[in-house]
Amino acid sequence: SNTGINFSQGNLVVNTSSGFDIARSTFFLSSGKWYWEVTCDDTGSGFIGVSDQDDGLTNRGGSNATSCTIRSTNGDKRISGSNSSYGSAISDGDVMIFALDMDNGKFWAGKNGTFFNSGDPVAGSNEATSALTNPVSPSVSLYNNEDYTFNFGQRAFAYTPPTGYKTLCSANLPEPTIKLPNKH
């Protein structure tokens, strides 16, 4: 969504050269339970999480009440443009884990197989936010030479997804209203 981001490997690897630049996935989710991972190849001061369609595509994401991003320098969560304590710092090589329960508007983040704040997506407890009422999309706001690799289930995950959570791929999305849109 910004000109400063470079995409490679099927748009699953993102990097930037300078300043804050934000990108979102092509899927906006309004229901279901989803899991994905992000390998932090070269991390710095970026924000990773979910942004709704109304979240401005500038700066850091998490600019409104129905978006939530995690700052890599300290694990703080960002909602409505404000940061508050949630997790711990992300380092190069860490694998961030994310669980999204859009049936209940909840979002969890963690690293290296453990959700922050003793989060438990299966039990529905200790989430980063429970205010996701608009459709959201996985997002990243990169800053000065950061590199992240997204895994939505196109290859094996580093960690086991929570029970009941699906990979984020078109095969798991609901059936479209128009079954053959290329004919209508």
Side-chain angles (χ1 to χ4, degrees):
S1 297
N2 294 65
T3 58
I5 293 181
N6 301 307
F7 297 91
S8 62
Q9 296 186 30
N11 295 332
L12 297 170
V13 175
V14 294
N15 63 37
T16 189
S17 57
S18 66
F20 274 108
D21 290 301
I22 189 169
R24 295 187 287 217
S25 83
T26 56
F27 294 145
F28 278 85
L29 306 161
S30 57
S31 64
K33 295 180 178 184
W34 307 96
Y35 175 84
W36 67 96
E37 297 177 347
V38 177
T39 301
C40 302
D41 304 308
D42 186 2
T43 190
S45 298
F47 293 81
I48 309 169
V50 291
S51 297
D52 76 12
Q53 73 264 7
D54 297 326
D55 200 0
L57 290 177
T58 58
N59 294 324
R60 297 157 187 88
S63 65
N64 59 27
T66 57
S67 295
C68 181
T69 56
I70 307 301
R71 185 166 196 154
S72 58
T73 55
N74 55 17
D76 283 0
K77 62 184 176 180
R78 182 176 176 84
I79 302 171
S80 296
S82 296
N83 297 344
S84 60
S85 181
Y86 177 62
S88 60
I90 310 301
S91 301
D92 292 353
D94 283 347
V95 176
M96 292 194 69
I97 58 174
F98 300 96
L100 175 66
D101 177 355
M102 284 306 294
D103 296 334
N104 295 295
K106 295 182 176 188
F107 172 69
W108 294 263
K111 69 177 182 179
N112 302 329
T114 302
F115 286 100
F116 293 144
N117 197 33
S118 300
D120 186 346
V122 176
S125 61
N126 297 332
E127 65 276 357
T129 185
S130 60
L132 303 180
T133 55
N134 294 336
V136 296
S137 177
S139 67
V140 62
S141 178
L142 303 162
Y143 184 74
N144 287 353
N145 298 310
E146 290 185 296
D147 295 289
Y148 295 102
T149 302
F150 283 76
N151 182 359
F152 295 112
Q154 71 275 6
R155 63 182 182 280
F157 287 123
Y159 301 97
T160 303
T163 302
Y165 284 73
K166 297 178 184 178
T167 59
L168 187 56
C169 65
S170 59
N172 287 332
L173 294 177
E175 286 291 321
T177 304
I178 299 172
K179 300 231 183 249
L180 300 172
N182 61 336
K183 295 188 177 186
H184 301 282

